[in-house]
Amino acid sequence: METVKLIDGTYSVAEAKEILLGLLDYKINFHAKENFRSEIKKGVKDSASLKRMEELSEERKMLTAYFKGLTPETTITLSAIIHLKDVS
């Protein structure tokens, strides 16, 4: 198994917000594209992608509310490690 250190550092509120909301927006758009592909190719919505988009949108709302409660001088430590594992 391989690991990738995706995020590791201390950031300002603005930087942390940009990083995290950017990642969530990317994932939401990814699932929107997957759903679109499914509708075009199969004629049906991708229920897994729709569910994940809903979950990610809720996470986005939670993070947005969290950031609103912080002062600009606040620093935030972020850490995200990806574990790559071949499941085939």
Side-chain angles (χ1 to χ4, degrees):
M1 179 167 42
E2 298 288 328
T3 60
V4 176
K5 216 185 277 190
L6 183 63
I7 304 170
D8 186 27
T10 302
Y11 303 91
S12 69
V13 171
E15 292 168 332
K17 183 177 178 181
E18 182 179 350
I19 291 166
L20 295 177
L21 295 182
L23 282 169
L24 284 170
D25 289 342
Y26 179 85
K27 287 291 294 179
I28 291 167
N29 288 332
F30 171 83
H31 287 290
K33 289 175 190 173
E34 288 298 303
N35 181 58
F36 181 72
R37 282 187 199 108
S38 180
E39 287 187 74
I40 295 299
K41 289 182 177 181
K42 302 174 188 173
V44 295
K45 294 181 185 273
D46 183 332
S47 60
S49 283
L50 290 174
K51 181 177 185 238
R52 192 64 183 129
M53 285 170 55
E54 190 175 311
E55 293 167 351
L56 291 166
S57 292
E58 286 302 312
E59 294 293 331
R60 192 181 195 296
K61 286 178 192 174
M62 183 275 302
L63 270 175
T64 300
Y66 172 77
F67 285 122
K68 283 184 182 177
L70 301 176
T71 63
E73 299 81 29
T74 302
T75 56
I76 300 171
T77 300
L78 300 177
S79 178
I81 297 173
I82 306 297
H83 299 280
L84 304 169
K85 184 167 74 171
D86 186 358
V87 293
S88 56

mmCIF file of all heavy atoms in Angstrom, residues 59-86:
data_model
loop_
_atom_site.group_PDB
_atom_site.id
_atom_site.type_symbol
_atom_site.label_atom_id
_atom_site.label_comp_id
_atom_site.label_asym_id
_atom_site.label_seq_id
_atom_site.Cartn_x
_atom_site.Cartn_y
_atom_site.Cartn_z
ATOM 1 N N GLU A 59 -21.506 18.549 3.705
ATOM 2 C CA GLU A 59 -20.182 18.811 4.287
ATOM 3 C C GLU A 59 -19.723 20.228 3.946
ATOM 4 O O GLU A 59 -19.139 20.919 4.776
ATOM 5 C CB GLU A 59 -19.148 17.799 3.773
ATOM 6 C CG GLU A 59 -19.401 16.384 4.211
ATOM 7 C CD GLU A 59 -19.226 16.172 5.710
ATOM 8 O OE1 GLU A 59 -18.423 16.895 6.333
ATOM 9 O OE2 GLU A 59 -19.894 15.283 6.249
ATOM 10 N N ARG A 60 -20.010 20.657 2.737
ATOM 11 C CA ARG A 60 -19.632 22.007 2.296
ATOM 12 C C ARG A 60 -20.341 23.063 3.136
ATOM 13 O O ARG A 60 -19.745 24.055 3.555
ATOM 14 C CB ARG A 60 -19.939 22.195 0.806
ATOM 15 C CG ARG A 60 -19.315 23.437 0.239
ATOM 16 C CD ARG A 60 -19.660 23.605 -1.235
ATOM 17 N NE ARG A 60 -18.819 24.570 -1.878
ATOM 18 C CZ ARG A 60 -18.766 25.876 -1.586
ATOM 19 N NH1 ARG A 60 -19.519 26.367 -0.630
ATOM 20 N NH2 ARG A 60 -17.952 26.677 -2.244
ATOM 21 N N LYS A 61 -21.631 22.846 3.396
ATOM 22 C CA LYS A 61 -22.402 23.778 4.232
ATOM 23 C C LYS A 61 -21.820 23.840 5.642
ATOM 24 O O LYS A 61 -21.697 24.919 6.225
ATOM 25 C CB LYS A 61 -23.869 23.344 4.298
ATOM 26 C CG LYS A 61 -24.657 23.593 3.043
ATOM 27 C CD LYS A 61 -26.076 23.091 3.212
ATOM 28 C CE LYS A 61 -26.804 23.062 1.889
ATOM 29 N NZ LYS A 61 -28.136 22.438 2.006
ATOM 30 N N MET A 62 -21.463 22.681 6.188
ATOM 31 C CA MET A 62 -20.896 22.621 7.529
ATOM 32 C C MET A 62 -19.568 23.381 7.583
ATOM 33 O O MET A 62 -19.330 24.172 8.502
ATOM 34 C CB MET A 62 -20.700 21.160 7.946
ATOM 35 C CG MET A 62 -20.181 20.960 9.368
ATOM 36 S SD MET A 62 -18.394 21.046 9.603
ATOM 37 C CE MET A 62 -17.788 19.786 8.515
ATOM 38 N N LEU A 63 -18.717 23.160 6.586
ATOM 39 C CA LEU A 63 -17.424 23.857 6.566
ATOM 40 C C LEU A 63 -17.597 25.358 6.403
ATOM 41 O O LEU A 63 -16.904 26.142 7.048
ATOM 42 C CB LEU A 63 -16.562 23.325 5.423
ATOM 43 C CG LEU A 63 -15.661 22.159 5.756
ATOM 44 C CD1 LEU A 63 -14.949 21.668 4.502
ATOM 45 C CD2 LEU A 63 -14.659 22.504 6.820
ATOM 46 N N THR A 64 -18.513 25.756 5.546
ATOM 47 C CA THR A 64 -18.765 27.179 5.338
ATOM 48 C C THR A 64 -19.198 27.837 6.647
ATOM 49 O O THR A 64 -18.717 28.920 7.002
ATOM 50 C CB THR A 64 -19.823 27.389 4.237
ATOM 51 O OG1 THR A 64 -19.341 26.805 3.022
ATOM 52 C CG2 THR A 64 -20.110 28.857 3.997
ATOM 53 N N ALA A 65 -20.077 27.185 7.379
ATOM 54 C CA ALA A 65 -20.523 27.712 8.676
ATOM 55 C C ALA A 65 -19.358 27.762 9.667
ATOM 56 O O ALA A 65 -19.214 28.729 10.418
ATOM 57 C CB ALA A 65 -21.660 26.859 9.226
ATOM 58 N N TYR A 66 -18.529 26.736 9.652
ATOM 59 C CA TYR A 66 -17.363 26.695 10.541
ATOM 60 C C TYR A 66 -16.439 27.884 10.275
ATOM 61 O O TYR A 66 -16.008 28.570 11.197
ATOM 62 C CB TYR A 66 -16.610 25.378 10.354
ATOM 63 C CG TYR A 66 -15.291 25.321 11.079
ATOM 64 C CD1 TYR A 66 -15.242 25.107 12.453
ATOM 65 C CD2 TYR A 66 -14.097 25.498 10.391
ATOM 66 C CE1 TYR A 66 -14.026 25.048 13.125
ATOM 67 C CE2 TYR A 66 -12.874 25.443 11.054
ATOM 68 C CZ TYR A 66 -12.847 25.221 12.415
ATOM 69 O OH TYR A 66 -11.643 25.180 13.069
ATOM 70 N N PHE A 67 -16.141 28.134 9.004
ATOM 71 C CA PHE A 67 -15.239 29.220 8.653
ATOM 72 C C PHE A 67 -15.821 30.587 8.997
ATOM 73 O O PHE A 67 -15.084 31.501 9.347
ATOM 74 C CB PHE A 67 -14.858 29.165 7.170
ATOM 75 C CG PHE A 67 -13.867 28.076 6.854
ATOM 76 C CD1 PHE A 67 -14.168 27.101 5.925
ATOM 77 C CD2 PHE A 67 -12.637 28.022 7.482
ATOM 78 C CE1 PHE A 67 -13.260 26.089 5.631
ATOM 79 C CE2 PHE A 67 -11.721 27.019 7.205
ATOM 80 C CZ PHE A 67 -12.035 26.050 6.272
ATOM 81 N N LYS A 68 -17.137 30.747 8.917
ATOM 82 C CA LYS A 68 -17.766 32.025 9.260
ATOM 83 C C LYS A 68 -17.554 32.379 10.719
ATOM 84 O O LYS A 68 -17.538 33.551 11.076
ATOM 85 C CB LYS A 68 -19.265 31.988 8.934
ATOM 86 C CG LYS A 68 -19.561 32.142 7.479
ATOM 87 C CD LYS A 68 -21.052 32.188 7.216
ATOM 88 C CE LYS A 68 -21.303 32.303 5.721
ATOM 89 N NZ LYS A 68 -22.719 32.293 5.395
ATOM 90 N N GLY A 69 -17.389 31.363 11.559
ATOM 91 C CA GLY A 69 -17.209 31.605 12.990
ATOM 92 C C GLY A 69 -15.780 31.929 13.382
ATOM 93 O O GLY A 69 -15.506 32.144 14.559
ATOM 94 N N LEU A 70 -14.865 31.967 12.436
ATOM 95 C CA LEU A 70 -13.454 32.215 12.742
ATOM 96 C C LEU A 70 -13.042 33.632 12.379
ATOM 97 O O LEU A 70 -13.572 34.226 11.450
ATOM 98 C CB LEU A 70 -12.572 31.230 11.959
ATOM 99 C CG LEU A 70 -12.814 29.754 12.211
ATOM 100 C CD1 LEU A 70 -11.935 28.920 11.295
ATOM 101 C CD2 LEU A 70 -12.552 29.408 13.667
ATOM 102 N N THR A 71 -12.068 34.147 13.109
ATOM 103 C CA THR A 71 -11.510 35.449 12.767
ATOM 104 C C THR A 71 -10.425 35.235 11.705
ATOM 105 O O THR A 71 -9.817 34.165 11.631
ATOM 106 C CB THR A 71 -10.888 36.134 14.000
ATOM 107 O OG1 THR A 71 -9.802 35.335 14.462
ATOM 108 C CG2 THR A 71 -11.918 36.322 15.101
ATOM 109 N N PRO A 72 -10.156 36.254 10.898
ATOM 110 C CA PRO A 72 -9.130 36.122 9.857
ATOM 111 C C PRO A 72 -7.743 35.797 10.400
ATOM 112 O O PRO A 72 -6.913 35.231 9.701
ATOM 113 C CB PRO A 72 -9.138 37.482 9.169
ATOM 114 C CG PRO A 72 -10.474 38.059 9.461
ATOM 115 C CD PRO A 72 -10.859 37.530 10.814
ATOM 116 N N GLU A 73 -7.482 36.134 11.664
ATOM 117 C CA GLU A 73 -6.168 35.888 12.258
ATOM 118 C C GLU A 73 -5.977 34.428 12.675
ATOM 119 O O GLU A 73 -4.871 34.002 13.001
ATOM 120 C CB GLU A 73 -5.951 36.781 13.485
ATOM 121 C CG GLU A 73 -5.998 38.266 13.202
ATOM 122 C CD GLU A 73 -7.426 38.797 13.109
ATOM 123 O OE1 GLU A 73 -8.341 38.246 13.754
ATOM 124 O OE2 GLU A 73 -7.630 39.761 12.357
ATOM 125 N N THR A 74 -7.050 33.667 12.690
ATOM 126 C CA THR A 74 -6.984 32.268 13.108
ATOM 127 C C THR A 74 -6.144 31.467 12.127
ATOM 128 O O THR A 74 -6.176 31.701 10.924
ATOM 129 C CB THR A 74 -8.413 31.667 13.160
ATOM 130 O OG1 THR A 74 -9.204 32.438 14.052
ATOM 131 C CG2 THR A 74 -8.397 30.228 13.616
ATOM 132 N N THR A 75 -5.371 30.530 12.650
ATOM 133 C CA THR A 75 -4.653 29.597 11.787
ATOM 134 C C THR A 75 -5.236 28.206 11.998
ATOM 135 O O THR A 75 -5.709 27.876 13.087
ATOM 136 C CB THR A 75 -3.136 29.578 12.080
ATOM 137 O OG1 THR A 75 -2.937 29.270 13.446
ATOM 138 C CG2 THR A 75 -2.502 30.917 11.736
ATOM 139 N N ILE A 76 -5.207 27.430 10.953
ATOM 140 C CA ILE A 76 -5.803 26.094 10.966
ATOM 141 C C ILE A 76 -4.783 25.093 10.459
ATOM 142 O O ILE A 76 -4.158 25.302 9.408
ATOM 143 C CB ILE A 76 -7.066 26.056 10.079
ATOM 144 C CG1 ILE A 76 -8.094 27.060 10.584
ATOM 145 C CG2 ILE A 76 -7.651 24.656 10.014
ATOM 146 C CD1 ILE A 76 -9.263 27.250 9.667
ATOM 147 N N THR A 77 -4.613 24.018 11.197
ATOM 148 C CA THR A 77 -3.732 22.944 10.756
ATOM 149 C C THR A 77 -4.568 21.904 10.020
ATOM 150 O O THR A 77 -5.573 21.423 10.546
ATOM 151 C CB THR A 77 -3.021 22.292 11.949
ATOM 152 O OG1 THR A 77 -2.239 23.296 12.606
ATOM 153 C CG2 THR A 77 -2.104 21.171 11.499
ATOM 154 N N LEU A 78 -4.146 21.606 8.806
ATOM 155 C CA LEU A 78 -4.838 20.613 7.978
ATOM 156 C C LEU A 78 -3.897 19.456 7.687
ATOM 157 O O LEU A 78 -2.707 19.665 7.439
ATOM 158 C CB LEU A 78 -5.277 21.220 6.641
ATOM 159 C CG LEU A 78 -6.228 22.411 6.670
ATOM 160 C CD1 LEU A 78 -6.476 22.901 5.247
ATOM 161 C CD2 LEU A 78 -7.523 22.047 7.351
ATOM 162 N N SER A 79 -4.443 18.261 7.710
ATOM 163 C CA SER A 79 -3.682 17.073 7.362
ATOM 164 C C SER A 79 -4.611 16.095 6.653
ATOM 165 O O SER A 79 -5.690 15.796 7.157
ATOM 166 C CB SER A 79 -3.112 16.436 8.622
ATOM 167 O OG SER A 79 -2.415 15.255 8.308
ATOM 168 N N ALA A 80 -4.194 15.633 5.496
ATOM 169 C CA ALA A 80 -4.975 14.635 4.751
ATOM 170 C C ALA A 80 -4.004 13.685 4.076
ATOM 171 O O ALA A 80 -3.153 14.103 3.289
ATOM 172 C CB ALA A 80 -5.862 15.313 3.719
ATOM 173 N N ILE A 81 -4.143 12.428 4.416
ATOM 174 C CA ILE A 81 -3.292 11.397 3.832
ATOM 175 C C ILE A 81 -4.175 10.443 3.045
ATOM 176 O O ILE A 81 -5.211 9.991 3.529
ATOM 177 C CB ILE A 81 -2.510 10.643 4.922
ATOM 178 C CG1 ILE A 81 -1.577 11.615 5.645
ATOM 179 C CG2 ILE A 81 -1.746 9.472 4.325
ATOM 180 C CD1 ILE A 81 -0.873 11.043 6.833
ATOM 181 N N ILE A 82 -3.758 10.140 1.835
ATOM 182 C CA ILE A 82 -4.472 9.210 0.971
ATOM 183 C C ILE A 82 -3.749 7.864 1.029
ATOM 184 O O ILE A 82 -2.538 7.801 0.822
ATOM 185 C CB ILE A 82 -4.502 9.716 -0.493
ATOM 186 C CG1 ILE A 82 -5.056 11.133 -0.577
ATOM 187 C CG2 ILE A 82 -5.267 8.746 -1.383
ATOM 188 C CD1 ILE A 82 -6.475 11.287 -0.136
ATOM 189 N N HIS A 83 -4.487 6.809 1.314
ATOM 190 C CA HIS A 83 -3.927 5.458 1.310
ATOM 191 C C HIS A 83 -4.360 4.773 0.025
ATOM 192 O O HIS A 83 -5.550 4.565 -0.192
ATOM 193 C CB HIS A 83 -4.421 4.664 2.529
ATOM 194 C CG HIS A 83 -4.025 5.263 3.824
ATOM 195 N ND1 HIS A 83 -2.762 5.101 4.356
ATOM 196 C CD2 HIS A 83 -4.690 6.037 4.709
ATOM 197 C CE1 HIS A 83 -2.674 5.746 5.499
ATOM 198 N NE2 HIS A 83 -3.838 6.322 5.732
ATOM 199 N N LEU A 84 -3.388 4.442 -0.824
ATOM 200 C CA LEU A 84 -3.677 3.784 -2.092
ATOM 201 C C LEU A 84 -3.581 2.279 -1.903
ATOM 202 O O LEU A 84 -2.566 1.763 -1.439
ATOM 203 C CB LEU A 84 -2.676 4.244 -3.154
ATOM 204 C CG LEU A 84 -2.595 5.746 -3.382
ATOM 205 C CD1 LEU A 84 -1.405 6.068 -4.253
ATOM 206 C CD2 LEU A 84 -3.883 6.252 -4.001
ATOM 207 N N LYS A 85 -4.659 1.590 -2.256
ATOM 208 C CA LYS A 85 -4.686 0.158 -2.086
ATOM 209 C C LYS A 85 -5.347 -0.457 -3.311
ATOM 210 O O LYS A 85 -6.472 -0.092 -3.672
ATOM 211 C CB LYS A 85 -5.460 -0.204 -0.822
ATOM 212 C CG LYS A 85 -5.460 -1.673 -0.497
ATOM 213 C CD LYS A 85 -5.947 -1.967 0.911
ATOM 214 C CE LYS A 85 -7.415 -1.799 1.068
ATOM 215 N NZ LYS A 85 -7.916 -2.279 2.365
ATOM 216 N N ASP A 86 -4.672 -1.382 -3.945
ATOM 217 C CA ASP A 86 -5.208 -2.080 -5.113
ATOM 218 C C ASP A 86 -6.230 -3.098 -4.638
ATOM 219 O O ASP A 86 -5.909 -3.996 -3.868
ATOM 220 C CB ASP A 86 -4.075 -2.768 -5.873
ATOM 221 C CG ASP A 86 -4.535 -3.390 -7.173
ATOM 222 O OD1 ASP A 86 -5.744 -3.312 -7.470
ATOM 223 O OD2 ASP A 86 -3.689 -3.952 -7.865
#
